[in-house]
Amino acid sequence: MTLITPYYLINERKLLKNLKKIKYVRDVSGAKSVLALKCFSTWSVFDIMKKYMDGTTSSSLYETRLGREKFGKEVHAYSVAFSKEDIKEINKYADKIIFNSISQLKMFHKDVGNMEIGLRINPGISYSHFDLADPARKYSRLGTTSKKSVREAAHIISGAMFHFNCENKDFKNFSSTLDLIGRNYGDILKNLDWVSLGGGLYFTKEDYPLDSFCKKLKQFSDKFQLQVYLEPGETSITQSAELVTKVLDIVHNEIDIAIVDASIEAHMLDLLIYRTNAKIEAAGNGKHKYIVAGRSCLAGDVFGTYSFSSRLKVGSIIRISDAAGYTMVKKNWFNGLPMPSIVVKRLNGNLDIVKCFSYKDFKNSLS
Ligand SMILES: Cc1ncc(COP(=O)(O)O)c(C=O)c1O
């Protein structure tokens, strides 16, 4: 089968490595994991994911609905701000609803039907390398900061969510922060049934002390008699996909620049937002240095600078790794560029082209 670049290639075997660790954490610590759909919503691989995870969590009505329709199991609904109409619809899909603020909780708690109610708490501490993604940044609107208000609302809620990490692979940091949350919110936690510790914990990374992590989670859940949830996004799918691109042109401006048939702005937007370089495993310390750049008109549409062991030429294939999280959910039609198709390499080695996009999709996304 000839695959036409660009395409995202999800490898189920690599995905499985993460999923097995997630299930291990569940088995040993009792902490359930719900997939954060904001990071990854490619439902063609949900059949495998749902064997190892407990459900989904969402950031909007549409994600909540997708979670119910395509993943099943437990469906958690969260939003920075729900509308009245959202609540009506979400009632059909979710088991738990988590409000972001005391005002939303007060506004809507009588309309939530059978859903269990949670409240997001901003503990005022966080771990993030990026101010942009720091949930406890100054003036953060993410979660309530007033302990007094949480106490006053305690009779309405059965759970709480603390999302306070972003790309945290430092177990010691997590452990001491969890202790602090226990100390600061213990009286509230004792009266709840469940707590979500959010996402941003890189516990599927190589060398992460998984057993210490499990022990910590179990201690926390035993101490406060709570069901603990984790909301892994990136952690679930890290290193399981590539964006496969092809060199279309090589130009020279003091340095060789290889222009590929994809774009960071359109297809790997977080690289642009966080100003980080793409990972290209094939590039190392070779003699042939190139800037690899995207084909959009944005001057800064650059994947990074790499040293390849052999010369690139028009037609060379460049595989950008770690391309599953916050890519397919954020891709856009900027410049009318062809949108990468989505290909899944199944456990048995078969390649399934699960989605192709065409000019019609571009046209229909506008009017
Ligand atoms: C509330 C919440 N849960 C879970 C996640 C997933 O985080 P990650 O993809 O870093 O694991 C996020 C990410 O922003 C989040 O805001």
Side-chain angles (χ1 to χ4, degrees):
M1 181 186 346
T2 334
L3 297 171
I4 297 166
T5 61
Y7 58 93
Y8 299 101
L9 176 63
I10 304 169
N11 185 322
E12 282 192 338
R13 198 161 285 192
K14 293 185 181 170
L15 185 59
L16 196 57
K17 266 177 74 178
N18 299 327
L19 297 174
K20 282 185 173 162
K21 287 188 186 172
I22 290 173
K23 178 153 186 312
Y24 180 81
V25 169
R26 160 85 146 98
D27 291 346
V28 177
S29 74
K32 295 183 178 179
S33 277
V34 286
L35 172 67
L37 292 174
K38 72 184 71 183
C39 170
F40 183 81
S41 291
T42 308
W43 43 267
S44 298
V45 292
F46 282 1
D47 277 349
I48 176 168
M49 297 186 88
K50 64 186 169 199
K51 289 189 191 139
Y52 296 84
M53 300 185 76
D54 293 282
T56 55
T57 187
S58 50
S59 17
S60 64
L61 165 62
Y62 288 173
E63 281 188 357
T64 310
R65 181 171 175 176
L66 190 79
R68 172 57 67 212
E69 288 180 2
K70 292 292 185 186
F71 203 108
K73 303 182 90 174
E74 278 194 49
V75 177
H76 297 195
Y78 162 76
S79 171
V80 171
F82 291 110
S83 68
K84 200 168 177 60
E85 294 72 31
D86 289 341
I87 303 285
K88 224 194 240 165
E89 276 281 292
I90 279 173
N91 256 310
K92 297 188 213 154
Y93 308 116
D95 306 295
K96 289 184 170 55
I97 185 161
I98 301 167
F99 290 104
N100 183 61
S101 67
I102 291 285
S103 45
Q104 284 250 308
L105 178 71
K106 285 187 178 156
M107 227 183 303
F108 295 129
H109 76 93
K110 292 208 174 98
D111 302 323
V112 301
N114 291 327
M115 290 184 285
E116 289 175 42
I117 302 177
L119 177 67
R120 179 166 180 175
I121 299 174
N122 176 345
I125 36 167
S126 56
Y127 179 103
S128 173
H129 300 289
F130 305 98
D131 180 60
L132 188 64
D134 182 349
R137 81 211 283 250
K138 197 164 167 59
Y139 307 128
S140 172
R141 72 203 185 293
L142 304 174
T144 178
T145 48
S146 158
K147 244 194 280 180
K148 184 168 164 280
S149 308
V150 180
R151 276 196 200 101
E152 282 165 13
H155 62 287
I156 311 175
I157 59 176
S158 64
M161 187 253 273
F162 296 86
H163 170 73
F164 55 105
N165 290 283
C166 175
E167 301 192 358
N168 188 352
K169 48 185 175 225
D170 177 349
F171 169 70
K172 279 200 183 131
N173 170 281
F174 167 69
S175 175
S176 57
T177 319
L178 193 60
D179 288 342
L180 195 66
I181 288 179
R183 283 198 297 278
N184 287 349
Y185 296 91
D187 60 317
I188 295 162
L189 293 171
K190 266 194 312 218
N191 294 317
L192 298 178
D193 299 329
W194 52 275
V195 69
S196 169
L197 301 177
L201 295 164
Y202 265 9
F203 64 88
T204 56
K205 287 270 187 219
E206 291 294 330
D207 303 331
Y208 193 87
L210 215 50
D211 285 312
S212 308
F213 183 58
C214 291
K215 201 167 147 200
K216 190 80 205 174
L217 294 172
K218 180 142 181 27
Q219 276 170 355
F220 189 81
S221 110
D222 287 347
K223 181 166 181 186
F224 298 107
Q225 291 295 296
L226 289 160
Q227 172 63 55
V228 171
Y229 287 91
L230 303 169
E231 303 182 359
E234 187 62 45
T235 312
S236 321
I237 45 72
T238 188
Q239 314 221 311
S240 67
E242 299 173 315
L243 175 61
V244 184
T245 69
K246 190 169 71 186
V247 175
L248 294 180
D249 195 12
I250 296 178
V251 296
H252 189 87
N253 181 3
E254 296 184 46
I255 181 170
D256 287 328
I257 304 160
I259 301 171
V260 298
D261 54 2
S263 151
I264 66 164
E265 184 166 28
H267 311 138
M268 290 190 81
L269 189 59
D270 271 11
L271 297 178
L272 185 65
I273 293 177
Y274 295 106
R275 304 206 160 269
T276 46
N277 286 334
K279 292 176 209 139
I280 300 181
E281 271 160 36
N285 296 320
K287 281 195 307 213
H288 305 283
K289 193 167 165 187
Y290 292 86
I291 287 177
V292 174
R295 74 192 288 203
S296 83
C297 64
L298 181 76
D301 190 346
V302 167
F303 286 90
T305 306
Y306 307 90
S307 296
F308 293 88
S309 54
S310 51
R311 279 198 181 287
L312 295 179
K313 51 185 194 304
V314 169
S316 293
I317 295 292
I318 296 188
R319 310 174 89 91
I320 321 268
S321 31
D322 230 353
Y326 301 99
T327 54
M328 288 166 263
V329 290
K330 287 194 174 189
K331 63 188 168 7
N332 61 68
W333 284 111
F334 184 54
N335 275 202
L337 294 179
M339 199 167 263
S341 36
I342 302 175
V343 181
V344 179
K345 187 169 187 184
R346 299 293 182 191
L347 287 180
N348 63 10
N350 285 353
L351 286 174
D352 276 354
I353 302 171
V354 295
K355 188 81 187 172
C356 287
F357 301 93
S358 66
Y359 168 69
K360 249 195 196 161
D361 296 304
F362 168 57
K363 193 173 75 174
N364 289 340
S365 74
L366 300 161
S367 66

